[in-house]
Amino acid sequence: MARVPLTLPAAAGTLALVGCNLLNAPAPTPPATPTPAPTTAASPTPTPGPSATPRPTKAYLFVINGGSTALDKVDLSTGTVTKGVLTLGQVMNQLQVDGTTGYAVSFQDNKVFKLDLAAGTKLPDITFPANTGPQTLTPLGSGKGLVAADYGQAAIFVDLGTGAVEASVSVGAKVGMGGTAVTGGKAYVPVYKFGAAYAIIDSAIKVVDLTTKAVTKTIALAGDANPYATVVAPDGKVHVPIKTGVMTIDPATDATASIAIGGQVTALQFVGSDKAYGLAGYDGLVVYNPATGAVTRNFTNRIKVGGSSGNFKIRGNFAYIPNGYGTDTVGVVDLTTEATTSTVYKVGTAPQDVAIVDVPQ
C-alpha cells in the first residue's frame, strides 16, 4: 500500500505557533497591593472598679480602773461588759485615745501603756524612771506627746513611736490629774503644792513653749485653787476647773477671767461652742456656756450622778461617768433630759477614766 503524506490542518499549525510565542513572552506583573492608610485608635475609657465598701464599726466604751490592773470593755450596742481584756499597771489615771490607739497612764508603774484597741493587744510601753509618777499624756501631733509627771514635777516630751524622752522641763510642783491643754504653740500645765495636812497652798499654771521646751510664764492662781486640768474650748480659750468653778485663759495674751460655779470642778467636756459640762463635787454635772460664761446649772443645782472618781466622756446625748466610790460602775446621764438613766455598767475596782472608740468589725 502506498504511504499517504500527513498534512496538518491550518488551524492546528497556527495554535502551535501561538504556544511558542506565549512561552517566550515576559511574565505579567501582578497589580500592587494597596497599603492601608494608618489609623489612630481611640484609647478605651477604663471602666471604674466598684467602690470599696466601708468596714462597719461598733462603738465600745473602754475603762481603766484606779484600783485594779484591768482594762475593761463595754459593747455599747448590747451593754455587754468584758472585764480584763488586757492587764495594765497599778494606779491607772488617764486613758487617752488617737483613733484606735490607746495610751493608758500608770502612775505607780511609771509607764504609759500603748494599746491597739481594735486588735485588743499591747504595743511597746513607754517607760519612765522610778519616781516619775506620770499622771497624764497629751498628744502633740506628728507622733509626739507631752507627759505631765507628778513625782518628777516635770513636763516630759516623748516620741510616741519609739518611747524615747526628747526633753524634760521642770515645773516645780505636783501636776493636775486631769490633763494639759495645748494651743498656740504652748502647753498650759496645772500645778499645785501641798502644805500641812495635805492642804493645797500653792496653785498655778505653768506655760511651756513647745518650740524652746522651756517654762516661759507662771500664771498665778489663788493658793488653794486646786487646778485639776486645763482644756481647750471651741473658741480656743483655755478653761481651768478649780475650787470655785472655772477660770479661763486667753492664749493670745494669757489674760484670765473667772466663771463662778460655787464649788470644786474637776473634769470638763465641751459639746459645742455654747455648752460645757463639768464634774462638780465628785458627784454631779454642772452646765455653763463657755462663750458667755453664763451658768445654767451651778454647784447647788448640779445633775447628781453618784460618786465619781475621775474623768468622764460624752458621746451623742449621753455622758458616761465612772463611779468609783464603792459602786465600781460607769453610770450614764441623758443630756437631753439632764437626768441619770437606769443604765449602769459594772466594771473593775475604782474606775478612773473612760474612752469611746469606734472599732472596725
Side-chain angles (χ1 to χ4, degrees):
M1 177 166 37
R3 176 177 296 179
V4 179
L6 179 62
T7 302
L8 291 175
T14 303
L15 287 174
L17 293 173
V18 170
C20 291
N21 290 337
L22 289 174
L23 291 175
N24 295 327
T29 302
T33 302
T35 302
T39 58
T40 303
S43 299
T45 301
T47 302
S51 300
T53 302
R55 291 181 63 185
T57 61
K58 182 180 284 191
Y60 289 93
L61 180 77
F62 289 90
V63 186
I64 59 168
N65 302 292
S68 75
T69 60
L71 174 72
D72 300 331
K73 181 173 74 171
V74 180
D75 184 334
L76 291 180
S77 65
T78 64
T80 303
V81 178
T82 305
K83 294 184 179 181
V85 293
L86 288 174
T87 300
L88 305 178
Q90 301 285 344
V91 190
M92 303 302 300
N93 183 63
Q94 185 200 46
L95 179 58
Q96 189 74 264
V97 295
D98 181 8
T100 57
T101 301
Y103 299 91
V105 183
S106 170
F107 174 85
Q108 185 167 315
D109 283 23
N110 300 294
K111 287 184 178 182
V112 173
F113 291 92
K114 190 174 178 181
L115 314 170
D116 183 335
L117 296 174
T121 59
K122 285 183 177 180
L123 301 171
D125 302 335
I126 301 172
T127 303
F128 301 96
N131 299 318
T132 297
Q135 290 279 36
T136 63
L137 179 146
T138 302
L140 301 177
S142 301
K144 309 296 182 179
L146 182 69
V147 172
D150 189 84
Y151 285 159
Q153 299 188 1
I156 304 172
F157 291 83
V158 297
D159 185 308
L160 299 177
T162 66
V165 172
E166 298 181 336
S168 182
V169 181
S170 174
V171 295
K174 298 173 73 65
V175 299
M177 294 177 62
T180 297
V182 172
T183 183
K186 298 179 287 187
Y188 291 79
V189 185
V191 300
Y192 64 96
K193 292 180 181 179
F194 280 137
Y198 293 101
I200 295 174
I201 60 170
D202 190 4
S203 302
I205 305 297
K206 296 289 184 176
V207 182
V208 177
D209 186 288
L210 300 183
T211 300
T212 64
K213 297 180 173 58
V215 174
T216 58
K217 184 182 293 185
T218 298
I219 300 174
L221 308 178
D224 62 350
N226 189 22
Y228 181 84
T230 55
V231 188
V232 180
D235 65 0
K237 289 185 178 180
V238 175
H239 286 225
V240 187
I242 58 175
K243 181 179 180 179
T244 58
V246 177
M247 188 188 79
T248 65
I249 304 171
D250 184 342
T253 62
D254 288 336
T256 63
S258 62
I259 300 172
I261 290 178
Q264 176 72 56
V265 180
T266 53
L268 292 178
Q269 289 285 301
F270 299 95
V271 294
S273 61
D274 60 355
K275 183 169 281 190
Y277 291 87
L279 190 63
Y282 302 100
D283 67 351
L285 294 177
V286 295
V287 188
Y288 70 97
N289 186 319
T292 66
V295 178
T296 54
R297 278 187 175 268
N298 62 15
F299 190 85
T300 303
N301 193 33
R302 64 193 183 276
I303 307 166
K304 289 295 186 70
V305 299
S308 176
S309 61
N311 299 315
F312 71 101
K313 297 297 188 301
I314 291 174
R315 174 68 170 253
N317 293 323
F318 297 96
Y320 298 84
I321 302 175
N323 298 316
Y325 292 128
T327 65
D328 299 333
T329 61
V330 174
V332 182
V333 174
D334 186 330
L335 300 180
T336 302
T337 61
E338 294 193 340
T340 56
T341 71
S342 59
T343 301
V344 176
Y345 304 117
K346 185 71 175 177
V347 293
T349 304
Q352 174 67 20
D353 199 1
V354 297
I356 301 166
V357 180
D358 292 313
V359 176
Q361 299 301 292

